[in-house]
């Protein structure tokens, strides 16, 4: 926060929590990213994600999820996602692994009418496939990479699709300190007029492990 000649308020945070009992694994994730300069709201992004997995065996599990989201930069007043599917481990174990999954996802969106061009729909509902590829593994001693790709085409026409990629690298500095680098990429084949189809993000940080 800055006050005086420059009026800036920036708040960013995320939270994750999980419980695993027998074959059931429940996790909750939440995030907030808000930036305000004077009376101008530059960023106002929030999400809440609830996920449940049922493990049939070590390589096969279900995935069910519910997500609520708003994102000012994407003109989103509200996005509601509800999905379910199966995820299978192709290879690997606890050290390195490669998983694939597929399912169905219902998406309901409400966009900001003040930012839309004439003729664009303010509210939409779409039934999509929910495909994913997840990989992770060690890099040298104490370092690790992770990667996730989501492909979400609409059943009404595969020319309408979303493609999301996340890649991360964690490099060991000391026994309790890691350097983290995260790269995200998002492609929307039918972004509203006024938005680019691609978004790219890069974040670096320090991770401290205690205990």
């Amino acid at each position: 926060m800055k006050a005086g000649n420059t009026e800036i308020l920036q708040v960013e945070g995320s939270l994750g929590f999980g419980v695993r009992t027998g074959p059931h694994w429940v996790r909750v994730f939440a995030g907030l990213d808000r930036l305000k300069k004077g009376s101008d709201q530059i960023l106002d992004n929030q999400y809440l994600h609830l996920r449940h997995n049922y493990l049939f065996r070590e390589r096969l599990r279900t995935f069910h999820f519910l997500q609520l989201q708003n994102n000012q930069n994407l003109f989103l007043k509200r996005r509601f996602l509800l999905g379910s599917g199966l995820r299978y481990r192709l290879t690997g174990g606890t050290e390195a692994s490669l998983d694939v999954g597929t399912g169905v996802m219902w998406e309901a969106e409400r966009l900001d009418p003040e930012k839309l061009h004439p003729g664009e729909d303010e509210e939409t509902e779409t039934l999509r496939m929910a495909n994913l590829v997840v990989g992770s593994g060690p890099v040298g001693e104490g370092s690790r990479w992770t990667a996730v790709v989501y492909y979400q085409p609409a059943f009404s026409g595969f020319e309408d699709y979303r493609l999301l990629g996340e890649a991360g690298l964690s490099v060991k500095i000391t026994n309790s300190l890691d350097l983290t680098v995260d790269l995200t990429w998002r492609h929307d084949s039918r972004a509203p007029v006024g938005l680019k189809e691609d978004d790219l993000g890069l974040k670096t940080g320090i991770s401290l492990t205690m205990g």
Side-chain angles (χ1 to χ4, degrees):
M1 182 182 71
K2 290 185 178 181
N5 293 310
T6 303
E7 299 283 346
I8 293 177
L9 175 65
Q10 183 170 12
V11 180
E12 181 179 358
S14 60
L15 174 69
F17 176 76
V19 176
R20 184 170 178 176
T21 57
H24 297 278
W25 190 12
V26 179
R27 286 166 290 171
V28 179
F29 304 96
L32 170 69
D33 190 3
R34 183 169 290 171
L35 175 60
K36 188 176 182 181
K37 183 177 181 181
S39 60
D40 297 329
Q41 192 80 29
I42 299 173
L43 288 174
D44 188 12
N45 308 329
Q46 303 164 57
Y47 72 89
L48 175 66
H49 183 94
L50 175 65
R51 179 172 292 264
H52 171 263
N53 297 105
Y54 183 88
L55 283 73
F56 290 108
R57 52 181 187 270
E58 189 62 30
R59 287 183 176 269
L60 181 65
R61 68 181 68 177
T62 65
F63 65 85
H64 316 288
F65 63 90
L66 181 152
Q67 180 168 308
L68 294 172
Q69 177 186 7
N70 73 277
N71 190 318
Q72 175 180 307
N73 301 92
L74 300 180
F75 303 169
L76 277 177
K77 301 286 284 185
R78 183 198 66 236
R79 173 182 284 162
F80 178 80
L81 304 177
L82 182 65
S84 183
L86 286 173
R87 174 172 164 175
Y88 180 73
R89 176 152 295 176
L90 292 176
T91 183
T94 57
E95 289 299 317
S97 62
L98 179 63
D99 293 17
V100 295
T102 188
V104 177
M105 177 181 77
W106 178 64
E107 170 191 271
E109 289 187 346
R110 182 181 178 186
L111 302 177
D112 188 344
E114 296 182 359
K115 297 181 178 180
L116 297 178
H117 281 225
E120 290 189 291
D121 293 329
E122 179 182 341
E123 297 193 27
T124 61
E125 295 185 8
T126 309
L127 189 64
R128 298 182 180 274
M129 293 182 67
N131 303 307
L132 58 92
V133 179
V134 182
S136 67
V139 180
E141 185 176 351
S143 301
R144 190 168 189 82
W145 65 270
T146 59
V148 185
V149 176
Y150 300 96
Y151 173 55
Q152 301 165 341
F155 281 102
S156 58
F158 278 28
E159 68 279 0
D160 177 6
Y161 68 92
R162 296 223 171 93
L163 189 61
L164 302 96
E166 302 175 4
L169 179 65
S170 176
V171 179
K172 183 69 67 177
I173 300 175
T174 68
N175 289 335
S176 58
L177 205 61
D178 293 350
L179 171 66
T180 61
V181 181
D182 296 294
L183 179 67
T184 59
W185 172 62
R186 173 189 174 278
H187 177 82
D188 186 349
S189 68
R190 289 193 171 178
V193 177
L195 287 181
K196 296 180 179 179
E197 292 185 352
D198 296 281
D199 286 297
L200 186 66
L202 178 65
K203 182 182 292 186
T204 60
I206 297 293
S207 174
L208 176 64
T209 305
M210 303 179 67

